[in-house]
Amino acid sequence: MTIAIAIAVAGCAPVAALANDWGMGDSNSRIPPSSVFDSVSTPAHEINTLAFFVVSITTVIFLIVAGLLTYSIVRFRARPGDDGREPPQVYGSNPIEFAWTTVPVIIVLVLILITARTIYTVQAPARPPGALSVHVIAHQWWWEFRYPGLGIVTANELHVPLSDLQSPTPTFLDLESADVAHSFWVPRLAGKTDVIPNKKNSMWIDPHVAGTYLGQCGEYCGTEHAMMLLRVIVEPRADFDRWVAAEQQPPALDASVGHGRRVFESTACVNCHTIRGTAADGRFGPDLTHLMTRETIGAGVAMNTRDHLKVWVSDPRVMKPGALMPAMNLGDKDLDDLVAYLATLR
Ligand code: CUA
């Protein structure tokens, strides 16, 4: 026993040292938990209401059946002095047969109709003019967001406008996979939608409370499935428009980081990443044009700070063991200058 406690205590020190959450705990603790019970968008709200309704009806049925069963077991149990004969058996009672056929049929019919209505609301809405369209591409292990009408490409942090209940401005998402099956899930905004290779699925959200909502890949997709996180940032229309205008600009050129930029352009970075205004036009990794406007890196694995970027660029697997980006093996000066250049991408 004593030995076990000693081992446990000794084991805690290295575990504590390893448990670096790269600043994510602080950031996430400021965001309300992603509870499915706390919906702020019509699809999530509809699903929630339906689930509550079905659970209520089935709970009432369960209580009635379990109650009658318990009553019968207690009331009609064998007692000392019973003569051992069965009580009178009743067959062919038309009123009883009629009741226990009709009532379940009506209940099932109500459940079918309400479920069909919810499925219709969630899956088949018309796209009103002015609705935002975003093309979501799931990768191992990050999310690519392309705004086809706006010429914007970003990663892991989806910006959408606030939708007013009176004059809704919903966002429609078309989801595709670049590799394996994933699932797009932001519990407070909508149900999961699977992202399947060679198939286009779609969904929509109309968040009516501004804020940041945490999401997560909802389908096991390989080593770093658990670290395929996303955020949806819901902003009032004016703020969203400002974000769009800023994203549409190429990043400002900063002469003081010329060497870092040359390091970027002369290494393998350009094969996988895009930075508008440079030769880099890779699509395998996230678009870095406005990297520093994002709060997190590595699909929510670390806060986006210069120190974390340096760790990430020198070896992403320190933060995210299965990450497909290789360690860049740069010299100290090149690494510092490259990170200094990345830090100017606003
Ligand atoms: Cu992508 Cu799990």
Side-chain angles (χ1 to χ4, degrees):
M1 182 66 181
T2 321
I3 295 171
I5 291 172
I7 292 172
V9 171
C12 279
V15 167
L18 281 173
N20 186 343
D21 73 352
W22 309 103
M24 292 309 299
D26 275 356
S27 166
N28 289 344
S29 66
R30 285 192 294 271
I31 301 171
S34 339
S35 168
V36 288
F37 300 110
D38 194 7
S39 53
V40 293
S41 169
T42 303
H45 182 73
E46 290 286 327
I47 292 169
N48 213 345
T49 310
L50 175 67
F52 187 75
F53 181 76
V54 172
V55 169
S56 307
I57 289 193
T58 48
T59 303
V60 170
I61 294 172
F62 172 78
L63 290 177
I64 291 174
V65 172
L68 287 173
L69 193 59
T70 310
Y71 172 80
S72 307
I73 289 170
V74 174
R75 171 78 178 75
F76 301 108
R77 69 189 189 280
R79 291 188 168 81
D82 281 355
D83 58 10
R85 279 180 306 166
E86 283 199 347
Q89 305 292 302
V90 180
Y91 293 104
S93 163
N94 282 342
I96 291 177
E97 295 278 358
F98 184 76
W100 70 36
T101 308
T102 319
V103 173
V105 166
I106 291 172
I107 292 172
V108 169
L109 200 63
V110 167
L111 291 178
I112 289 173
L113 291 176
I114 292 194
T115 306
R117 197 200 63 121
T118 303
I119 291 174
Y120 185 78
T121 312
V122 170
Q123 297 200 336
R127 295 193 184 202
L132 180 67
S133 279
V134 182
H135 190 178
V136 177
I137 302 154
H139 298 254
Q140 283 177 319
W141 289 278
W142 61 282
W143 301 93
E144 179 179 1
F145 301 123
R146 307 181 80 90
Y147 295 65
L150 303 173
I152 296 173
V153 183
T154 185
N156 304 321
E157 296 178 16
L158 174 67
H159 286 247
V160 301
L162 189 62
S163 179
D164 188 351
L165 285 173
Q166 261 62 52
S167 56
T169 47
T171 299
F172 285 78
L173 307 175
D174 295 305
L175 307 113
E176 285 181 280
S177 170
D179 37 51
V180 301
H182 303 266
S183 188
F184 184 95
W185 191 30
V186 184
R188 296 187 68 193
L189 300 182
K192 286 179 194 173
T193 302
D194 280 357
V195 189
I196 306 294
N198 301 317
K199 180 170 184 355
K200 192 180 269 187
N201 280 340
S202 56
M203 60 179 286
W204 64 287
I205 51 175
D206 63 342
H208 42 256
V209 180
T212 299
Y213 301 100
L214 297 177
Q216 159 84 54
C217 178
E219 172 81 42
Y220 182 72
C221 54
T223 319
E224 283 299 339
H225 157 70
M227 275 300 162
M228 186 166 166
L229 309 175
L230 73 134
R231 292 169 172 221
V232 178
I233 294 127
V234 178
E235 299 162 308
R237 191 75 211 198
D239 292 346
F240 175 75
D241 289 342
R242 260 194 296 281
W243 176 81
V244 168
E247 289 284 313
Q248 284 171 333
Q249 300 301 316
L253 274 181
D254 185 336
S256 71
V257 293
H259 179 246
R261 177 173 164 157
R262 280 192 297 283
V263 172
F264 179 84
E265 289 187 301
S266 60
T267 58
C269 308
V270 294
N271 297 332
C272 294
H273 294 285
T274 294
I275 296 180
R276 265 185 289 139
T278 73
D281 62 355
R283 292 262 323 252
F284 194 70
D287 185 301
L288 302 178
T289 306
H290 292 285
L291 170 66
M292 298 314 287
T293 60
R294 304 203 281 263
E295 228 184 321
T296 64
I297 54 172
V301 89
M303 290 308 283
N304 187 5
T305 65
R306 266 175 93 137
D307 287 346
H308 291 165
L309 271 178
K310 194 170 160 181
V311 176
W312 180 268
V313 174
S314 72
D315 187 358
R317 286 160 198 166
V318 171
M319 288 175 165
K320 196 167 173 174
L324 297 184
M325 174 173 155
M328 294 314 293
N329 294 319
L330 298 169
D332 282 350
K333 166 133 179 64
D334 283 356
L335 179 62
D336 283 337
D337 288 355
L338 173 58
V339 171
Y341 166 59
L342 294 178
T344 65
L345 300 173
R346 307 210 141 268

